[in-house]
Amino acid sequence: MNGGVIVIDVELRQLRAFAAVVAEGGFTAAADELRTDQPRVTRAVQGLEAAVGARLLERTTRRVRLTDAGRRLYAELEVLLPRLEAALAAPARAETVRFGFAWHLPARWPDVVRAFDGAAGDTGGIRVVRRDDPLAALAAGLCDLALIHTDPGPDYRTVALPPEPRVAAVPVPGPWQYRRVLDWSELAGRRLVVNTLADRLGDADWPGGTRGPALCTADNLEEWLESVAADHGVGIAPDSVRRHTNPSVRYVRLKNAPEVPMLLARPLRNPHPAADRLAGVVQRVLAASN
């Protein structure tokens, strides 16, 4: 007793299991709905019955039927359980998810934002965070989910997105400024402008295993673009870099070039509660566009 009120120790999973058994008409179907196994559902319902001190379900070999006590409880839960679920989800919905990127946002980003906001209701929304090294920003806690191009290691959970083609950034004026397409083999041995944070191509990725000399390195996108414009070499980048323009740089499609891996990453420890939901939205929107 606590001030005349009986305190019953009941877990939310037990209430969910009981409601699912009633709604689905059996323990096996309830387990499928809850994405668990049937013995767990049975134990949860038995624990609930022990906690409330009453039998809630009549079990036979063919069907499950509510007792009077079970009927009264289920009638209350039909109203209370959705409200409780919504109340528990509210703090996560109200907190903004910070999305880190370097070169570009994923394709169809406005559709991603609309889908995420629509699914989350009163969401705190998404804030984009551009960093030259999104993985470092993720490790420093400056963003919650990041678009990266290499395996981040065992401390992160990743979701694969469709890879992106590469383009060459060539100076204008220059010998390739009027080319519409370049073959990957034409870049073997050429001078390169390398973005040290974004370029992850090894020697084996180049035709004949011959990579051009890195005449100039840049630590961010702006330096990389200006170095190409200054004719220090040819830049290689994901196709979406085309959004970043310079009057002295032209982007040329690359044929037979290895594609750029696209990964969404979030930390395994203390992740943002809505990070996985946002990653799922990005995946669904991109899958629908292919």
Side-chain angles (χ1 to χ4, degrees), residues 18 21 26-27 38 41-50 54-67:
F18 169 68
V21 170
F27 285 83
Q38 184 266 331
V41 175
T42 299
R43 289 194 296 271
V45 172
Q46 289 173 342
L48 178 61
E49 289 177 325
R55 181 171 291 276
L56 303 174
L57 297 170
E58 296 282 356
R59 304 165 179 82
T60 68
T61 55
R62 293 187 177 182
R63 58 181 299 183
V64 174
R65 185 173 58 187
L66 284 166
T67 64

Side-chain angles (χ1 to χ4, degrees), residues 110-165:
D111 293 337
V112 169
V113 174
R114 283 191 290 269
F116 181 75
D117 288 349
D122 56 337
T123 177
I126 307 167
R127 181 163 67 89
V128 294
V129 180
R130 202 194 81 74
R131 291 289 185 273
D132 292 308
D133 190 344
L135 184 57
L138 199 61
L142 300 177
C143 58
D144 307 300
L145 184 70
L147 177 62
I148 60 175
H149 304 295
T150 57
D151 183 357
D155 295 330
Y156 298 89
R157 180 182 184 272
T158 60
V159 172
L161 301 178
E164 187 173 1

Side-chain angles (χ1 to χ4, degrees), residues 107-108 112 160-162 279-290:
R108 297 184 59 187
V112 169
L161 301 178
V281 169
V282 175
Q283 268 195 313
R284 290 194 296 275
V285 168
L286 294 186
S289 65
N290 291 337

Side-chain angles (χ1 to χ4, degrees), residues 194-254:
V194 176
N195 185 323
T196 56
L197 298 177
D199 189 341
R200 296 294 187 268
L201 283 170
D203 289 343
D205 297 309
W206 292 83
T210 304
R211 178 185 180 132
L215 178 69
C216 179
T217 59
D219 294 332
N220 57 58
L221 176 60
E222 289 77 16
E223 290 179 7
W224 176 84
L225 201 56
E226 288 296 332
S227 297
V228 174
D231 199 13
H232 289 171
V234 176
I236 308 298
D239 182 75
S240 51
V241 77
R242 294 174 184 269
R243 303 174 192 177
H244 303 277
T245 61
N246 184 300
S248 297
V249 174
R250 183 170 182 268
Y251 296 109
V252 181
R253 184 168 65 89
L254 280 173

